[in-house]
Amino acid sequence: MQISDVYVGLGEEVFAQLIRSISIGKLRTYQIYEGFKVRAHLHKVNTESLRKSIPRFWVRISEREEDFAKDLAQAVLVSHLDMITAVLDLLGVPHENGFFAKDMDPKPYFTEGWENRVMEKFHGVYPDAILAFYINHLRWELLSATEVFRPASPSAA
């Protein structure tokens, strides 16, 4: 499974929610604004340009443009570090403000059923679309998942 499979597996509606959740301020804070702007083929990154670009972004994701998909994931995830920190705390995963230490193996912390525990705990606290994306991002990046996890909640499926 590739990261573009996660977006496609969660669907176009969830994808649009992810794009609308990107924080321009967080992109600047973590110094990824310029790189994202170039990869996204935008002259300027703001809420209006992101919203208008959703259909074009979806086509690029559907065509499995992996470098763009990875940069997009980074933009979405840095916009939700508070949620990431809460999820990792729930699972007992050591981290530094939502980031794993370089030489740490986090895999043992992801015990059977962790995905549903995260969804149950944070449903209504954070948007289901963002939670589902982060869960799948972890499954893709750390756990070599072969299929997309689709939560039972109708708003994130």
Side-chain angles (χ1 to χ4, degrees):
M1 180 169 74
Q2 301 205 33
I3 191 64
S4 59
D5 295 322
V6 170
Y7 294 112
V8 171
L10 292 174
E12 196 168 355
E13 183 180 324
V14 168
F15 179 78
Q17 291 174 41
L18 296 174
I19 302 304
R20 288 191 300 268
S21 78
I22 293 174
S23 164
I24 311 308
K26 295 281 176 95
L27 296 181
R28 292 186 189 279
T29 298
Y30 290 94
Q31 301 178 351
I32 60 172
Y33 177 90
E34 287 300 323
F36 177 73
K37 181 175 79 169
V38 169
R39 182 73 73 187
H41 304 155
L42 296 172
H43 295 292
K44 182 178 182 181
V45 179
N46 58 34
T47 53
E48 183 180 353
S49 66
L50 286 172
R51 183 183 51 77
K52 287 181 177 179
S53 297
I54 290 170
R56 196 171 69 246
F57 288 174
W58 181 250
V59 169
R60 292 175 69 186
I61 292 299
S62 298
E63 293 173 349
R64 304 304 199 259
E65 193 177 319
E66 287 304 306
D67 289 336
F68 173 62
K70 289 174 186 174
D71 284 355
L72 189 56
Q74 184 180 37
V76 169
L77 294 176
V78 300
S79 299
H80 299 283
L81 282 172
D82 57 333
M83 178 202 67
I84 290 171
T85 300
V87 168
L88 296 177
D89 287 346
L90 172 73
L91 298 172
V93 180
H95 62 91
E96 298 170 17
N97 299 318
F99 297 95
F100 299 126
K102 292 209 185 284
D103 55 355
M104 185 198 77
D105 178 16
K107 290 178 189 172
Y109 296 93
F110 296 93
T111 58
E112 188 171 335
W114 70 271
E115 300 96 336
N116 288 319
R117 288 195 304 276
V118 168
M119 287 304 296
E120 288 170 15
K121 172 73 175 173
F122 295 114
H123 174 72
V125 178
Y126 301 106
D128 285 352
I130 308 300
L131 280 168
F133 180 73
Y134 183 52
I135 288 168
N136 278 290
H137 187 273
L138 288 168
R139 295 175 82 244
W140 162 73
E141 187 174 48
L142 300 176
L143 307 174
S144 303
T146 58
E147 56 188 48
V148 174
F149 168 78
R150 291 177 185 83
S153 171
S155 64

